[in-house]
Amino acid sequence: MAERRTRPVPSTKRQGWWRTPQTDAAPSVGNGKSGSPGKSGAGETPASPSPAPAEAASVVQAALYRDGVRVAAPASLADTFRELRKQRDGMAWIGLARPTEAELLTLAAEFDLHELAVEDAMEAHQRPKLERYGETLFVVLRAARYLDAQEEVDFGELHVFVGPDFVITVRHGAAPDLTAVRRRMEESPELLKLGPEAVLYAILDAVVDGYAPVVAGVQNDIDEIETEVFSGDPAVSRRIYELSREMVEFQRATRPLVAMLHALMAGFAKYRTDEELQRYLRDVADHVTHTSERVDGFRQALADILTVNSTLVTQQQNAEMRALAEAGFEQNEEIKKISSWAAILFAPTLVGTIYGMNFDEMPELHWAFGYPFAIGLMGIVCASLYVIFKRRDWL
């Protein structure tokens, strides 16, 4: 990174830009004069102060450091700019959360940020990347945290501007929490006095360290999924799919970091990076590589589990279809038996019904051998049907 430059005194036009909101934000009440507080008239209650500007909600914390020690904690961006001009060899660290477009444009004018980087910072859903615009580095990071209650991974986005005498973080989402990073750096003034590069590497380390609980949580989820797969839980397919999608997002967050960190390490000699920071960054790179490999392993494991689950589901469906087929076959056999006996019993019923019609002109009724003939006919028909059904395995 380029050596620290002396901050130039801004032009009157730029100065008026960031001071204008403060002048307009607190209009005078009571005496009708603008620019002075004024007193309220008789019987009037004193005017309440105007609400804080929008930046109060988006500026998480702003501080100025000199030789690794905090020397000022301005309450607004305007105060931060003013204090930074007084501290010629100081460093500003400004943390923003979901800032407005006006705030980013103000920062862009004050710190000479490139318009493309500012445009990216306004919009979330950027992929991790590292870009250099003159003396300013623009870094996009994807942080992650594991939510135990929901058993899912929540992703956040962090944009970092790193210049010769400033660090600006723009956070989209709940992660990462940079308060602990700032506190740890303030407790290590020897590291903080190395400048904005040290802050950037501390942020990278915090983001990468935040991946460890996610990896542990995902590993536990995969172990549970394996148990559910072999226990036949029907809802496990959906869980595998959702976790696979999270791993795709996790992979998109970690894989580009490997190339980003190697790019930073390649510039050690060119930008005369401190030896301590070089060791610091190499350690972060090792953690990123390890995490990226674990995420790749998770995706492969989930793909294998999904294949196994599909096989088990297919086997279960085949078993159910086989059971249904066997039940249908058994039912068909019973129906054939019932049908066979019904046909056998129907034969004597038919003969008896014919000779029971009581017509006068039926020769067999007055025949001496009529009764034996009817009984014999019934027996012959029943025996013939029994033999036929028996040969066809219906009985």
Side-chain angles (χ1 to χ4, degrees), residues 20-31:
T20 300
Q22 285 192 331
T23 304
D24 295 339
S28 61
V29 180
N31 61 358

Side-chain angles (χ1 to χ4, degrees), residues 42-371:
E44 295 178 353
T45 57
S48 60
S50 301
E55 70 179 43
S58 60
V59 179
V60 178
Q61 194 172 13
L64 268 69
Y65 301 90
R66 185 175 183 179
D67 294 330
V69 179
R70 180 187 291 208
V71 294
S76 66
L77 293 179
D79 294 339
T80 303
F81 302 155
R82 187 183 301 111
E83 291 293 334
L84 185 59
R85 295 190 191 102
K86 296 179 182 178
Q87 303 289 337
R88 291 186 174 274
D89 54 350
M91 178 191 71
W93 184 354
I94 303 172
L96 304 175
R98 300 184 180 92
T100 63
E101 181 178 351
E103 290 169 342
L104 285 177
L105 292 177
T106 302
L107 289 169
E110 177 66 24
F111 295 105
D112 194 23
L113 305 179
H114 197 278
E115 59 181 5
L116 293 179
V118 175
E119 182 179 352
D120 288 343
M122 290 180 185
E123 300 290 337
H125 310 293
Q126 301 288 331
R127 298 199 67 178
K129 60 182 179 178
L130 171 67
E131 295 178 346
R132 183 178 295 276
Y133 298 96
E135 295 182 333
T136 303
L137 272 178
F138 177 61
V139 182
V140 178
L141 302 172
R142 294 292 303 278
R145 58 174 182 162
Y146 185 79
L147 304 178
D148 290 322
Q150 296 85 353
E151 291 188 336
E152 62 182 24
V153 182
D154 178 50
F155 294 94
E157 193 166 324
L158 180 66
H159 300 174
V160 186
F161 295 90
V162 182
D165 55 357
F166 66 88
V167 176
I168 302 170
T169 59
V170 180
R171 181 162 52 89
H172 297 277
D177 182 12
L178 298 180
T179 304
V181 179
R182 188 185 292 266
R183 182 171 58 252
R184 186 171 69 250
M185 291 296 290
E186 291 178 349
E187 292 173 354
S188 304
E190 292 298 323
L191 183 61
L192 185 56
K193 73 177 183 179
L194 296 177
E197 286 180 319
V199 177
L200 172 62
Y201 298 153
I203 293 173
L204 287 169
D205 184 58
V207 171
V208 173
D209 285 347
Y211 293 153
V214 178
V215 170
V218 171
Q219 181 64 66
N220 183 65
D221 287 346
I222 292 178
D223 294 339
E224 293 177 356
I225 286 174
E226 289 177 343
T227 303
E228 293 172 0
V229 164
F230 291 100
S231 64
D233 189 346
V236 70
S237 297
R238 181 180 181 86
R239 189 176 182 187
I240 294 173
Y241 174 73
E242 292 176 348
L243 188 58
S244 297
R245 291 190 61 183
E246 291 177 355
M247 288 304 96
V248 171
E249 290 295 321
F250 201 9
Q251 194 174 51
R252 290 174 180 172
T254 57
R255 181 171 290 180
L257 272 180
V258 178
M260 290 169 53
L261 292 173
H262 285 310
L264 286 175
M265 289 188 292
F268 282 163
K270 180 178 179 180
Y271 298 103
R272 301 176 183 177
T273 304
D274 185 83
E275 289 291 337
E276 182 67 19
L277 292 182
Q278 292 184 28
R279 289 190 290 268
Y280 196 30
L281 184 61
R282 290 191 185 97
D283 181 68
V284 176
D286 290 341
H287 284 83
V288 170
T289 302
H290 176 70
T291 302
S292 181
E293 292 173 351
R294 291 292 303 275
V295 174
D296 292 341
F298 288 156
R299 285 201 63 186
Q300 184 61 44
L302 288 170
D304 295 340
I305 292 174
L306 186 60
T307 301
V308 172
N309 182 63
S310 300
T311 303
L312 293 177
V313 170
T314 302
Q315 291 177 352
Q316 183 179 1
Q317 291 176 345
N318 292 338
E320 293 175 354
M321 293 180 63
R322 184 166 51 252
L324 290 174
E326 292 175 354
F329 177 77
E330 293 176 358
Q331 185 179 9
N332 188 39
E333 291 297 317
E334 295 296 326
I335 291 175
K336 287 194 295 185
K337 291 180 180 179
I338 294 172
S339 301
S340 300
W341 285 114
I344 293 173
L345 295 176
F346 177 72
T349 303
L350 178 62
V351 175
T353 302
I354 293 175
Y355 286 103
M357 291 187 291
N358 297 323
F359 289 107
D360 292 335
E361 299 298 331
M362 291 186 69
E364 293 85 355
L365 293 179
H366 305 285
W367 186 31
F369 297 99
Y371 177 74

